[in-house]
């Protein structure tokens, strides 16, 4: 699927959304982007690149559990 971005006046936006609603969600889906979405997308692309090129660091469930216990205990006081 491809994504396009359109800037328009509010009255035109209504007409465009009305037109787009005539398509099934499989054919056309309205996606709203905000600054947090764009930032999260950027971070995920970086993580994906690290996984793809083999530089990502992984940990076991036990290591994660121990790390989180440590973080929580440091912030309990």
């Amino acid at each position: 699927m491809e994504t396009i971005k359109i800037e328009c006046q509010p009255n035109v936006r209504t007409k465009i959304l009305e037109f787009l609603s005539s398509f099934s969600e499989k054919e056309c889906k309205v996606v709203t982007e905000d600054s947090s979405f764009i930032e999260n997308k950027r971070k995920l692309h970086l993580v994906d690149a690290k996984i793809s090129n083999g530089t990502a660091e992984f940990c076991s469930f036990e290591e994660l559990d121990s790390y989180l216990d440590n973080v929580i205990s440091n912030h309990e006081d």
Side-chain angles (χ1 to χ4, degrees):
M1 214 179 249
E2 295 184 29
T3 303
I4 60 172
K5 184 174 181 177
I6 302 172
E7 289 185 21
C8 56
Q9 296 296 322
N11 62 326
V12 175
R13 179 183 184 274
T14 304
K15 292 175 184 175
I16 291 172
L17 290 176
E18 196 173 290
F19 170 71
L20 293 176
S21 69
S22 66
F23 296 98
S24 73
E25 190 169 314
K26 201 172 194 179
E27 294 174 303
C28 183
K29 181 178 177 182
V30 176
V31 178
T32 57
E33 292 184 2
D34 58 19
S35 60
S36 64
F37 172 83
I38 294 168
E39 178 62 17
N40 289 335
K41 183 178 177 182
R42 184 190 67 77
K43 288 178 183 178
L44 288 171
H45 279 271
L46 291 174
V47 170
D48 181 51
K50 286 183 177 183
I51 291 170
S52 296
N53 68 25
T55 60
E57 294 183 26
F58 298 95
C59 68
S60 69
F61 175 76
E62 290 78 17
E63 291 170 321
L64 176 63
D65 191 44
S66 174
Y67 170 77
L68 292 175
D69 283 344
N70 194 14
V71 169
I72 291 169
S73 68
N74 287 338
H75 291 89
E76 284 181 330
D77 298 327

